[in-house]
Amino acid sequence: MPSSRKVRVSPVTVASNHDPLNYFAGEINGEIFSHLSARDVAECMLVNKDWRNRVAHLSVQPWKTLNLVYDVTRTISEQPPPFSENIEIVNFLDYDTGIVDALESIVSWNCRNIKRLSFYECEITDQVLFIEALEKIASQLRVLVFEEHQSDIDLLSILDACPQLQSLHFQPEIIGDYQRMELGVDKQEHEASRRHTIFENLTCLSIDSVVGIPAIRNILKRCPNLRCVRLGNTDIESLEDPDIQEINMNNETTDLEMIIEHCPGIEYIECNRMDNSGKDGNAIPVSFPNISWWQDYMEHDKALPSRGLRVLKFFGVSVGYDDEYDFGQVFRLIKQSQNTLEVLYLAQCENLEGLHTLHMPKLRELACKNDIYSEKPDQLNEFIEHCPSLEKLEIDATAIGLLSPDLAGILARLNSLKTLSFQMPYKNYFYNMDVLDGPMVNACTLLQSMGAIDTHVEHMSFGTQCNGFPLFEAILHATATIRSLRSLQLHNYELLPEDTDDYVSRLCSDDSDSDLFVSTISKTGLSSFIKAIQNSNIERIWFSKVSLSNRAFQHLGDMRSLQELRITNCNPITKAGLRLLLDRKPFNGAFKSLVVDGSQQRWTNKKECFKLLSRRPYGFIKHTKEKDHLHMEFVR
């Protein structure tokens, strides 16, 4: 039997006459090294001094990105590394001091090709020195990012220092329920010194902060080629703050017409978002998200002709406590752009008069969520019917009248509609059972109607990972009747123990163990649902905050179409459950991926579980691992 013991090969000094780098032309060597990882390239550079210099120039890709994490015990060397000329992206992390010195060190390396600078959780103690250092390396800079920024910033000075900048994103450190900082864009000295400055290269502006009209206008009127504008980050609870209340009462965060006036080529507008703590589809956890295609504009060419307004995401806020927000400005913009809009998100909007009169031939995504309300809900259904190219629909389950049997027939006639999502409004409190009953009835009514007819919906989700949905048994069993489904996301609503009543207690009566939360769906109910979809065509399932029994794993193992399973913050994963999932006769070869993640997700005897997954005939390989208990992916 061959030995499985690894053989260690001692390093060999390569003689110049036998040097493999001399066998091929530089272009061929470059192609070879382009396929190596950064670790492999680093090992090659340890062969000898000649290889250190030559390999650094042959392998460009691993050295394009430089990550610098602040360490009080260390300083950045003034001696440039051999790959300094290849650096294009520099990320600074946790620099609460010394950011100017770090920038000056990069300047001393004579890096001339830096195209992107990102500052995560950093603080600028001296803006003048920071601007001076930034200006020295900004000749090729295209993208500038400030995430979780911990100090005020002068955006106009930043733009002045970076004449080639195409995209600027600024997100201050979260303060309470909202984000607000002094941006230095509406001061008199700026008016005097920069009255004629035009930032013609800027095409994407993203400010995750509550900013009033004068400050925003001072930037917009200098950026005529903007294609993407994202402004403000307000939620309704922030109105309790006097400063935020003053801004909103003056309607200073919702002036869409001002954006259109100063940015005639605008294609993407996002106003008054509510995405703190990952609440919205545009959540920014640590860096930019992968799920929000506004980033397509981060390196947008200003020379490309405008295609008209393609995306509008609007979160309505009240002008005052007693006054309703005027939807008229939003409606006028939608009407003006009805032939070009591809994505429309409306949240916390009331009196949606006039939408039913519009026809949206290009609209692909529509979201009516977060306390969407209309005195005539049938008009919303009529508006949806006027969107023949609709591919994705997100619905606020509390919208009385919207989720009706009539809507099921409309959805069936939309041949392109593949994705349907039910969501709950974002709130800072937990719902009681009286509030949950309404969404349950609404969703069940629509799902039962969809199950009785043929629809084209293939992907269905309930809630999001951060904002769950009450998964009652009636909802799940109505979902099981929809034959067209290919993927399913079930993000359960989390109830605090003190919010549960006798009804929920009875639902959970078969849960003998103490799980991480009190669920609206019992283990038995969930297992029964999985059994009901055994013969479906569902290929991907994502469970979040539910309790999966061993019987549930057994029924999942019996699903011949299942290819991918994701489990997030559920009850502990056990070897017995995995065996029931995988140990079918014959083994389900279609099952390719298992993802287990979440800060609260646990394993029972993790080592034995890993061993079971890796053995034959399963052959799963642990593909990624971010942090213990946080994210583990097993693929075949």
Side-chain angles (χ1 to χ4, degrees), residues 598-615:
S599 60
Q600 295 177 309
Q601 184 63 57
R602 299 292 182 266
W603 297 70
T604 299
N605 200 338
K606 184 189 299 184
K607 185 176 181 180
E608 289 297 317
C609 291
F610 288 179
K611 185 182 298 184
L612 174 66
L613 287 166
S614 62
R615 78 178 194 183

Side-chain angles (χ1 to χ4, degrees), residues 355-361 381-388 410 414:
L355 281 181
H356 68 289
T357 65
L358 305 181
H359 290 262
M360 316 286 285
N381 290 341
E382 188 176 349
F383 172 66
I384 293 173
E385 191 169 18
H386 291 168
C387 306
I410 293 173
L414 297 175

Side-chain angles (χ1 to χ4, degrees), residues 343-372:
V343 178
L344 177 61
Y345 279 29
L346 298 175
Q348 198 142 327
C349 293
E350 299 183 354
N351 298 326
L352 307 180
E353 295 295 333
L355 281 181
H356 68 289
T357 65
L358 305 181
H359 290 262
M360 316 286 285
K362 294 185 178 181
L363 196 67
R364 298 186 291 109
E365 296 183 24
L366 173 63
C368 299
K369 55 185 182 178
N370 211 65
D371 291 336
I372 201 81

Side-chain angles (χ1 to χ4, degrees), residues 302-349:
K302 66 175 183 179
L304 294 175
S306 173
R307 293 167 287 183
L309 186 63
R310 302 172 62 208
V311 180
L312 175 61
K313 296 187 178 183
F314 185 86
F315 180 86
V317 293
S318 299
V319 178
Y321 287 111
D322 299 324
D323 299 323
E324 294 179 349
Y325 173 74
D326 180 13
F327 185 71
Q329 190 185 78
V330 184
F331 173 73
R332 288 192 294 272
L333 181 55
I334 297 175
K335 182 178 180 179
Q336 176 183 335
S337 311
Q338 61 181 315
N339 291 321
T340 59
L341 272 175
E342 299 178 32
V343 178
L344 177 61
Y345 279 29
L346 298 175
Q348 198 142 327
C349 293

Side-chain angles (χ1 to χ4, degrees), residues 134-168:
L134 180 64
E135 196 168 10
K136 297 174 183 177
I137 58 174
S139 60
Q140 300 297 320
L141 193 62
R142 299 293 185 270
V143 179
L144 184 58
V145 176
F146 297 90
E147 283 279 354
E148 293 291 328
H149 200 65
Q150 299 175 10
S151 59
D152 295 343
I153 195 170
D154 187 334
L155 289 185
L156 284 179
S157 295
I158 294 289
L159 291 173
D160 261 351
C162 309
Q164 302 301 319
L165 198 65
Q166 295 178 351
S167 179
L168 174 62

Side-chain angles (χ1 to χ4, degrees), residues 105-162:
S105 296
I106 303 297
V107 171
S108 68
W109 293 356
N110 199 24
C111 300
R112 300 179 179 179
N113 297 311
I114 295 180
K115 294 180 173 59
R116 175 168 179 154
L117 272 178
S118 299
F119 301 90
Y120 301 105
E121 301 182 22
C122 297
E123 181 175 0
I124 301 173
T125 56
D126 191 323
Q127 288 206 48
V128 174
L129 293 179
F130 175 80
I131 296 296
E132 291 177 354
L134 180 64
E135 196 168 10
K136 297 174 183 177
I137 58 174
S139 60
Q140 300 297 320
L141 193 62
R142 299 293 185 270
V143 179
L144 184 58
V145 176
F146 297 90
E147 283 279 354
E148 293 291 328
H149 200 65
Q150 299 175 10
S151 59
D152 295 343
I153 195 170
D154 187 334
L155 289 185
L156 284 179
S157 295
I158 294 289
L159 291 173
D160 261 351
C162 309

Side-chain angles (χ1 to χ4, degrees), residues 525-541:
L526 185 60
S527 177
S528 176
F529 162 71
I530 297 173
K531 183 177 181 180
I533 60 174
Q534 277 184 359
N535 297 321
S536 69
N537 295 316
I538 295 177
E539 300 172 351
R540 297 177 297 278
I541 301 181

